[in-house]
Amino acid sequence: MTEIYEAIKRAAIRIRFAIENDETGYSHNQNATGDVQLKLDIKSDLIIEEEFAKVLSVKEIASEEKQHTETIYENGRYLIGYDPLDGSSLVDVDLSVGSIFGIYEEDYSGKNLKSAVYVVYGPRVEMVIANEEEVALYRLDAKHHFHFIQTIELDPKGRLNAPGGTQKHWYPHHKEMIDALFQEGYRLRYSGGMVPDLHQILLKGGGLFSYPGTSDNPAGKLRMVFEVFPFAYVFEKAGGEAIDGKRRLLDLAPSHIHDTTPCFFGSKAEISKVKESYADE
Ligand code: FDP
């Protein structure tokens, strides 16, 4: 696992350099979900693949930017599902973006996720590693070294509300729940980048990030293997919860690597409100 973390650190340093120096334009390709890929998406994906190709414990990779999984070392132990540059369209407007990694064994189901890592490329580069022991925050320094800053633990109740999805298509019970949080005094924090939005909730004590199923998109937008399971793991290990409205996200298994699911990540108090609101749906 340590070698995988080291590969992610090397990839993050290279991706940061590409974000700062490369063109942000679109390529002529589409990814598996039909999004037109930015040149930076493709480059970040290649960088990560190159770094994982140096790690003998990596059996297979599944990238949000690739249609199919790819075998790396037949005798390797881990399968890695990753989103190379989440929120990449925000680079153009100079907002924060991120890379997300789920490290699985045997298959890409939530129960087989063994560790999760994400990197935030913001004013500073930060990396969070979650495993059985802890959720730990690291920051990149001028000597290209990620140094330990602190462990992360959510408060039982937070103050931030990050509601995703197009409001016009929200179901009525969802809208009522989001409105009730604002009525209680929760503050809106939503940049449109999942990584910095969730990072803010994790570091500022807690709150709720939601990307629900909607009338036009009942299965939501965010992808289980590359985005949802890794953050569900981080939130649970930090003392919070992550559900699809009713069920624990890490109890789900995709039938295809690009499957999406509605998702809610938060501290215990907010997730109990989600459960109440979704109980009869
Ligand atoms: P993006 O499409 O820009 O890559 O991964 C999907 C994602 O960004 C998340 O980072 C983000 O939270 C979400 O989509 C934003 O979606 P909306 O624009 O629908 O709010």
Side-chain angles (χ1 to χ4, degrees):
M1 198 65 92
T2 310
E3 283 179 26
I4 294 175
Y5 297 151
E6 290 306 313
I8 293 174
K9 290 178 190 172
R10 291 193 301 273
I13 291 165
R14 292 176 62 191
I15 292 171
R16 168 60 156 204
F17 187 83
I19 292 170
E20 285 179 354
N21 296 289
D22 285 16
E23 262 187 73
T24 58
Y26 285 97
S27 70
H28 297 293
N29 308 338
Q30 286 189 351
N31 67 14
T33 328
D35 306 324
V36 180
Q37 290 172 304
L38 286 163
K39 290 180 188 163
L40 270 176
D41 289 320
I42 297 172
K43 175 126 177 207
S44 306
D45 192 27
L46 276 174
I47 289 172
I48 291 169
E49 191 177 341
E50 274 173 22
E51 294 300 340
F52 285 150
K54 299 173 190 164
V55 183
L56 292 172
S57 63
V58 178
K59 182 182 175 79
E60 186 179 278
I61 54 172
S63 164
E64 193 203 297
E65 301 301 335
K66 296 187 205 306
Q67 191 86 29
H68 304 289
T69 57
E70 274 180 26
T71 302
I72 303 292
Y73 292 104
E74 201 57 65
N75 295 325
R77 174 169 174 188
Y78 297 109
L79 318 177
I80 306 184
Y82 64 92
D83 184 349
L85 199 59
D86 186 79
S88 52
S89 60
L90 298 173
V91 173
D92 255 354
V93 290
D94 212 10
L95 283 173
S96 301
V97 292
S99 303
I100 312 168
F101 303 85
I103 301 155
Y104 300 81
E105 254 176 4
E106 288 178 35
D107 65 21
Y108 296 96
S109 58
K111 72 175 185 335
N112 283 330
L113 187 56
K114 300 298 168 202
S115 174
V117 180
Y118 68 85
V119 182
V120 193
Y121 311 98
R124 312 194 269 208
V125 178
E126 297 195 330
M127 179 170 74
V128 169
I129 299 181
N131 51 34
E132 250 335 293
E133 289 88 56
E134 62 180 13
V135 181
L137 170 69
Y138 299 83
R139 187 173 300 142
L140 186 64
D141 65 20
K143 291 182 181 147
H144 279 185
H145 175 69
F146 279 91
H147 63 273
F148 174 77
I149 304 289
Q150 64 175 84
T151 55
I152 299 178
E153 258 177 76
L154 282 161
D155 293 339
K157 183 178 186 318
R159 285 171 301 166
L160 305 181
N161 191 9
T166 310
Q167 297 195 16
K168 182 180 158 198
H169 301 298
W170 283 354
Y171 296 122
H173 66 279
H174 181 78
K175 181 171 168 33
E176 272 165 34
M177 180 201 59
I178 296 292
D179 289 349
L181 288 175
F182 285 129
Q183 285 306 318
E184 248 190 71
Y186 279 78
R187 300 174 70 101
L188 175 65
R189 291 289 183 272
Y190 192 77
S191 74
M194 178 185 196
V195 179
D197 287 340
L198 284 163
H199 192 55
Q200 178 163 205
I201 289 176
L202 283 161
L203 289 179
K204 297 211 165 153
L208 179 69
F209 176 99
S210 45
Y211 208 106
T214 49
S215 55
D216 63 331
N217 219 348
K221 174 182 185 187
L222 301 178
R223 285 143 282 224
M224 290 186 197
V225 171
F226 320 116
E227 297 167 316
V228 172
F229 292 161
F231 271 110
Y233 188 92
V234 173
F235 268 71
E236 285 196 1
K237 296 293 175 204
E241 288 186 57
I243 61 170
D244 71 349
K246 293 182 171 171
R247 292 168 299 179
R248 185 176 168 248
L249 287 164
L250 291 176
D251 285 338
L252 305 182
S255 40
H256 185 274
I257 52 158
H258 290 278
D259 282 354
T260 62
T261 176
C263 53
F264 301 82
F265 307 90
S267 336
K268 300 233 183 241
E270 293 80 34
I271 294 294
S272 98
K273 292 202 163 107
V274 177
K275 284 179 187 162
E276 269 170 43
S277 155
Y278 276 73
D280 302 325
E281 301 311 317

